[in-house]
Amino acid sequence: MTVTQARPGLTAHAGRQRLTPAAVLHDSRVLAGRQLRKTLRRPTYIVFSFIQPVIFVLLFRYIFGGAIDTGATSYVNFLMPGIIVQTAVFGALVTGLGLTEDLGSGVVDRLRSLPIARSAVLLGRTAADLIMNVLTLIVMIGVGLLVGFRPTQPAWQLAAAFVLVLVFSFVFSWISAWIGLSVRNPETAQSAGFIWVFPLTFASSAFVPTETMPGPVRVFSEHNPVTLVVDAVRGLTIGGVAPAGPAAGAVLWFAGLLLIFVPLTVRAFRRA
């Protein structure tokens, strides 16, 4: 089946086909499937996408962990929520890189020639990357358990933490998509992505308590969306802090970022 066959929700209007939400969802699903098939045909890419976060776990768990005081909480339990969130953020960078590749190879131009919703291209790409992030996070949880991570909270809270991280990665995929469509070059998109991701992840509570940071850095860290998500995930997985406050703050960040970057990304895609 192609995106132009058996599409539900199409209505005729003044001699043209009018796209309905059902048609947009259908096109997005088909394009997400295309992207997933493309990714699964690159096994070396999948392997190396898992290696980087595993290296981060091993470095901080066995090299830096002994020098970081996290009080009554073992460092591996403190670390893994931060690593999981960082992995989701890094995974979101793939969206921008992939769109620049599709622009350069002419795939986007071919998709534009089809009678499909322009938004379906972006929705399909972000949905496919979200599914890949699900697989990556499952692997990271398994690695965490192997190195000593021991969640203590009920199963529903663990599931809520997992969903929160996935929503976070979905939001950041739209930011990455906007950057990729704006710069249109894979190397530039990769550099531009890491420039804003590294300060957010390392100047946060992902790896060290914010109480140990200098004043201005601590203020930035405590209002950082990464810190809010990490703190919420910690509360939902190992307890020690109430997750409701950080989770509510994170959701507000999500809503604000989507309101800003979804329209910007759609506009950039139309101009690309």
Side-chain angles (χ1 to χ4, degrees):
M1 181 186 295
T2 67
V3 291
T4 57
Q5 294 174 333
R7 297 169 64 206
L10 287 174
T11 59
H13 181 69
R16 297 174 299 173
Q17 285 184 326
R18 182 179 178 183
L19 292 171
T20 66
V24 173
L25 289 175
H26 175 269
D27 293 344
S28 301
R29 179 180 62 80
V30 172
L31 291 172
R34 166 197 170 271
Q35 180 58 39
L36 287 173
R37 288 191 296 273
K38 177 183 174 182
T39 301
L40 293 175
R41 289 169 184 163
R42 300 160 64 187
T44 54
Y45 165 77
I46 297 174
V47 170
F48 282 106
S49 67
F50 292 151
I51 288 176
Q52 179 179 323
V54 171
I55 290 175
F56 270 107
V57 171
L58 299 178
L59 281 174
F60 280 91
R61 172 68 174 96
Y62 295 110
I63 297 177
F64 301 120
I68 300 174
D69 182 15
T70 54
T73 303
S74 66
Y75 186 66
V76 65
N77 279 346
F78 181 91
L79 171 68
M80 284 311 301
I83 288 285
I84 289 170
V85 174
Q86 184 203 50
T87 301
V89 174
F90 283 4
L93 297 180
V94 175
T95 304
L97 294 175
L99 285 172
T100 59
E101 292 177 355
D102 287 344
L103 282 170
S105 64
V107 171
V108 171
D109 290 334
R110 290 195 292 273
L111 292 175
R112 281 175 172 159
S113 68
L114 299 174
I116 62 174
R118 298 289 179 87
S119 58
V121 178
L122 299 173
L123 288 171
R125 176 74 209 204
T126 52
D129 291 338
L130 179 65
I131 293 171
M132 291 304 301
N133 254 332
V134 171
L135 301 178
T136 304
L137 292 179
I138 290 173
V139 171
M140 291 309 302
I141 292 170
V143 172
L145 294 174
L146 288 175
V147 299
F149 178 49
R150 295 295 180 265
T152 59
Q153 301 305 101
W156 71 268
Q157 290 193 203
L158 302 181
F162 195 78
V163 170
L164 185 66
V165 174
L166 290 177
V167 174
F168 188 48
S169 71
F170 181 74
V171 172
F172 271 58
S173 283
W174 284 95
I175 302 176
S176 175
W178 175 72
I179 293 174
L181 292 170
S182 299
V183 301
R184 305 186 187 184
N185 178 273
E187 291 80 9
T188 306
Q190 184 174 26
S191 298
F194 279 108
I195 283 174
W196 64 271
V197 161
F198 263 83
L200 284 177
T201 54
F202 285 95
S204 72
S205 65
F207 304 107
V208 298
T210 57
E211 293 80 6
T212 64
M213 300 178 182
V217 179
R218 179 176 177 179
V219 171
F220 172 80
S221 175
E222 290 177 345
H223 294 85
N224 182 343
V226 175
T227 292
L228 293 173
V229 177
V230 170
D231 289 349
V233 172
R234 280 201 186 104
L236 290 167
T237 55
I238 64 171
V241 295
V251 170
L252 289 176
W253 267 105
F254 297 165
L257 291 172
L258 285 175
L259 286 173
I260 294 171
F261 283 99
V262 169
L264 285 176
T265 305
V266 172
R267 182 180 303 175
F269 180 75
R270 289 173 178 169
R271 294 177 177 177

